[in-house]
Amino acid sequence: MKFFIDTANLEQIREAYDLGVLDGVTTNPSLMAKEGIKGRDAVMKHYVDICEIAQGGDVSAEVISTDFAGIIREGEELAELHPQIVVKVPMIKDGVKAIRYFSKKGIRTNCTLVFSAGQALLAAKAGASYVSPFLGRLDDVSTDGLALIEQIVLIYDNYGMGTEVLAASIRHPMHIIKCAELGADVATCPLQPILDLLKHPLTDSGLAKFLSDAAKTA
Ligand code: E4P
């Protein structure tokens, strides 16, 4: 399973890459706003900065248009910015049409805001490179987000669909582990859940004992 970091914070992206386990980055307009990025030029430059840190990994950059012509215009501009850019398109009618258009032109896409298996099926049929089911947001409304990941993986496997399942809106390390068990292709999450995977009290106490015993042999 690939690990993507879900942030537009350059320091956190650098820290995650330094760990050596990162495969890409996802962003969205809320994450860009959180970093105080303002104005089209600044937004475009920020995407390029992220691509340069991301060491060849895919970087999802989201369109903000909701009509077909606007999505195409924005998506083509984003795709031209850097070869690592994957155009993130919302799961709406014009979005699905745009994904089909981009797919025919060889522009890679990430279909975002997916909350049902039917939506995931449409995204794959349209030729999306990635589909992003938001599992944490489903959990937030008392619906089983992981069950959706399982359902999409099964459907795509049934038909050998090439779209990669990018589990998004991940909130904690168990989400990551369960996604790996279910066969998600990618998990995207903030830095903290990735760092939380490191932790185990027996590792800490075991290391403390080894170090104190090593001191006896020094
Ligand atoms: C996906 O690509 C989104 O950027 C993201 O995972 C949404 O996560 P959130 O529900 O924590 O905002």
Side-chain angles (χ1 to χ4, degrees), residues 183-201:
D185 299 287
V186 190
T188 191
C189 61
L191 180 59
Q192 196 54 50
I194 297 172
L195 296 178
D196 287 344
L197 291 174
L198 286 165
K199 294 181 192 161
H200 199 287

Side-chain angles (χ1 to χ4, degrees), residues 6 26-28 31 88 112 132 134 137 168-171 188:
D6 194 36
T26 52
T27 64
N28 64 40
L31 294 171
K88 209 170 177 188
T112 189
S132 287
F134 279 30
R137 291 193 194 184
S169 186
I170 282 176
R171 302 282 162 77
T188 191

